[in-house]
Amino acid sequence: MPLIDPPQTTVDLSKTVPGGWTLVGFSEPRSDGVNPFRVPQPVTEIRFSTPGPRYVELNYQLFSPRADVRAKATLDGQALGQFTFPAGQFVTFKPSGFVRAGPHLLRFEQGCAVACAINQYNAQAKLVVSARPTARVGSGATRWAINAPQSAIQTPGFAPLTFDGQNYFRSLTSPGQAKVVLPSGTVPTSLHYVSVSDTGAYRLAWSNETGRAVETRLPKAAIWAPKNALSAQDLSLVGDEAQTLKVQVKCQDGTAACLPVRLYWSELTGVSQSAGLGKLSLPTSLGTLLLAPGLLALFALLLRPARARR
């Protein structure tokens, strides 16, 4: 089973308040004759708890007929952004973030430059179970999910972890080098990922910390991954004990037009230095190195990211 496959729960706050949830600063549900809404005070709060790590996404839709509404949101004290809802228009934003297990607080401030009536529509919270960061995949072997909150894999140069409604991903948003930093004491064996660009053909150039190139498995006739197509890659890292991998996006047209490039199901397999590949039997080593990437590639074909399908 792949590490990245998060089940979801959607909580509708527009008509009721489910058990374990508290709304502060909201009116009781009202109706405009077609849709239910609540009237928010200048400061509102949504309090809730989660039994484990979660990705939280809220539908945030404020409406005022004659004035722009300006608002900002925080989650457990961390800013989620500032938003402008144009007068007379129904616009939805989706502030989101990751939380650990326990109680949480979504806080909102909203208002107009002049006195105005504000209605809040379609208030829903989506809770997504965070991906498991590790799994044992063989004798002495571990697979780390790079696209998991609190992953032991560090990714300087990548955009923050994002959820597209079905899957987690990280993006390369600039032509400069980004890095994948392995956990200390890890001997890498393989790296698997599925990448896609919506805007242009590209390739990802990987190297270790010494600058030695790490070969990908694209056939020579397809050096450039085409846009709008999923490209599954398995990098063999056997014999390469580098703790840092570097990656750089190359666009076929020589510009940055292919950016951003999104990486889904990004997973690293390795063994501890204390065990080392030399301590594993040959059948076990081969099984660990060959079976896991094959299974991941199968799941990558079965599970397609929402954006890539579109």
Side-chain angles (χ1 to χ4, degrees), residues 197 199-203 224-228 249-253 257-258:
S197 166
T199 56
Y202 68 96
R203 66 183 179 89
W224 302 100
K227 71 176 182 179
N228 294 324
V249 180
K250 305 285 187 179
C251 298
Q252 186 177 22
D253 65 1
C258 65

Side-chain angles (χ1 to χ4, degrees), residues 133-190:
T134 62
R136 296 297 298 273
V137 293
S139 177
T142 301
R143 189 170 68 232
W144 287 268
I146 298 174
N147 295 347
Q150 294 86 48
S151 173
I153 305 292
Q154 300 177 44
T155 54
F158 284 80
L161 184 62
T162 307
F163 185 72
D164 67 4
Q166 289 193 338
N167 299 287
Y168 294 106
F169 67 92
R170 293 187 188 273
S171 295
L172 292 164
T173 58
S174 75
Q177 280 191 337
K179 297 179 180 179
V180 176
V181 183
L182 287 63
S184 178
T186 300
V187 177
T189 59
S190 66

Side-chain angles (χ1 to χ4, degrees), residues 90-297:
F90 291 93
V91 176
T92 301
F93 293 100
K94 294 182 179 293
S96 59
F98 292 97
V99 298
R100 298 179 182 272
H104 305 291
L105 173 63
L106 277 162
R107 190 173 190 271
F108 306 90
E109 299 178 29
Q110 49 263 320
C112 307
V114 296
C116 67
I118 301 174
N119 295 342
Q120 183 164 351
Y121 289 89
N122 299 322
Q124 293 183 343
K126 179 186 292 184
L127 303 179
V128 184
V129 176
S130 297
R132 292 179 292 118
T134 62
R136 296 297 298 273
V137 293
S139 177
T142 301
R143 189 170 68 232
W144 287 268
I146 298 174
N147 295 347
Q150 294 86 48
S151 173
I153 305 292
Q154 300 177 44
T155 54
F158 284 80
L161 184 62
T162 307
F163 185 72
D164 67 4
Q166 289 193 338
N167 299 287
Y168 294 106
F169 67 92
R170 293 187 188 273
S171 295
L172 292 164
T173 58
S174 75
Q177 280 191 337
K179 297 179 180 179
V180 176
V181 183
L182 287 63
S184 178
T186 300
V187 177
T189 59
S190 66
L191 173 67
H192 173 85
Y193 62 89
V194 177
S195 60
V196 64
S197 166
D198 296 333
T199 56
Y202 68 96
R203 66 183 179 89
L204 300 183
W206 292 87
S207 61
N208 65 15
E209 57 195 2
T210 66
R212 185 182 68 82
V214 178
E215 295 296 329
T216 59
R217 297 184 180 180
L218 276 173
K220 291 184 178 180
I223 295 175
W224 302 100
K227 71 176 182 179
N228 294 324
L230 296 175
S231 174
Q233 289 290 299
D234 294 289
L235 276 63
S236 175
L237 304 174
V238 177
D240 192 340
E241 299 191 6
Q243 296 296 295
T244 299
L245 295 173
K246 300 177 182 179
V247 61
Q248 189 169 14
V249 180
K250 305 285 187 179
C251 298
Q252 186 177 22
D253 65 1
T255 71
C258 65
L259 297 170
V261 173
R262 304 190 303 278
L263 273 68
Y264 292 87
W265 307 297
S266 304
E267 298 169 345
L268 171 74
T269 302
V271 296
S272 66
Q273 286 180 331
S274 58
L277 289 176
K279 300 289 184 68
L280 300 178
S281 66
L282 180 59
T284 300
S285 300
L286 292 176
T288 297
L289 300 180
L290 300 178
L291 179 59
L295 291 174
L296 290 171

